[in-house]
Amino acid sequence: MGLVRLEIDGLQIDALQDDSVLKAALRHSIFIPHLCHGEGDSEAFGGCRLCFVEIDGTQGPVASCTKRVSPGMRVRTQTESVRRLQRAALRLILSNHRVDCAHCFANGKCQLQKLARALGLGLKVSGLVDISVKESTDHTLGRVLYDRSKCVLCGRCVSWARSNGTGVFHFAGRGLGTHIGLFHWEGDQDILEGCWNVCPVGALFPPP
């Protein structure tokens, strides 16, 4: 596979020609906020709307996970308009996430905690109505629990389930009622071991 040279924040880098801008940046340790992109994902989901960047010749900021690199592309990841959109997107995500860090499986490794620090936001947002589900835990799979009140619908677990052929996670419902649905898995139960590590926010976790 050929290489493409582009510029991100003034730095000349080489990327694989099929890379998205986000993948190219991450390969070179360039920080772009993101939640719905997981390592090894072959397709962009673009659900979190956090990975905005500006690209010369493109009108307005774009989601970097959905934009493929091209020769000579010039990308900026830290402009004020980009940061404003990223903070707005993160505030909306937090309004749909029940913040209970002290009792959360992901405390200390949660991506929301890291992103809030990086973007200068607190986990408790003001000026927005809290629309998070107060608490709702699904025990369907047995080997892993799903807390809907913490889920931010990033889709990483759905991608994981598709990639290994289990299909145990899927999107269900519509609008504000959208959530992750769980299908019972009849196959090798060991394949579910550790799947909670796919979740960036602690909505999936092992039983006690």
Side-chain angles (χ1 to χ4, degrees), residues 154-176:
C154 67
R156 282 200 199 180
C157 62
V158 177
S159 295
W160 175 87
R162 288 172 179 165
S163 68
N164 62 27
T166 63
V168 291
F169 303 114
H170 62 101
F171 285 109
R174 294 183 179 181
L176 293 177

Side-chain angles (χ1 to χ4, degrees), residues 32-33 49-55 60-62 76-88 119:
I32 297 178
R49 314 309 292 173
L50 284 168
C51 67
F52 282 113
V53 297
E54 288 184 351
I55 299 175
V62 297
R76 293 178 299 281
T77 71
Q78 303 179 43
T79 67
E80 184 54 40
S81 61
V82 161
R83 284 288 186 255
R84 184 168 58 250
L85 286 171
Q86 291 170 345
R87 291 188 184 105
L119 296 179

Side-chain angles (χ1 to χ4, degrees), residues 17 20 23 32 43 47-48 62 68-69 86 88-90 95 98 106 114 120 139 162-163 166 175 183 200:
Q17 61 185 11
S20 66
K23 279 188 178 181
I32 297 178
E43 297 181 3
C48 69
V62 297
R68 183 174 295 183
V69 298
Q86 291 170 345
L90 184 56
S95 73
R98 182 172 62 90
K114 295 177 181 178
H139 296 71
R162 288 172 179 165
S163 68
T166 63
F183 284 129

Side-chain angles (χ1 to χ4, degrees), residues 150-202:
K150 295 179 181 177
C151 181
V152 295
L153 300 175
C154 67
R156 282 200 199 180
C157 62
V158 177
S159 295
W160 175 87
R162 288 172 179 165
S163 68
N164 62 27
T166 63
V168 291
F169 303 114
H170 62 101
F171 285 109
R174 294 183 179 181
L176 293 177
T178 302
H179 60 282
I180 298 298
L182 280 63
F183 284 129
H184 184 68
W185 173 240
E186 299 287 354
D188 182 2
Q189 293 298 304
D190 288 342
I191 200 170
L192 300 180
E193 192 69 31
C195 69
W196 45 80
N197 293 318
V198 174
C199 179
V201 298

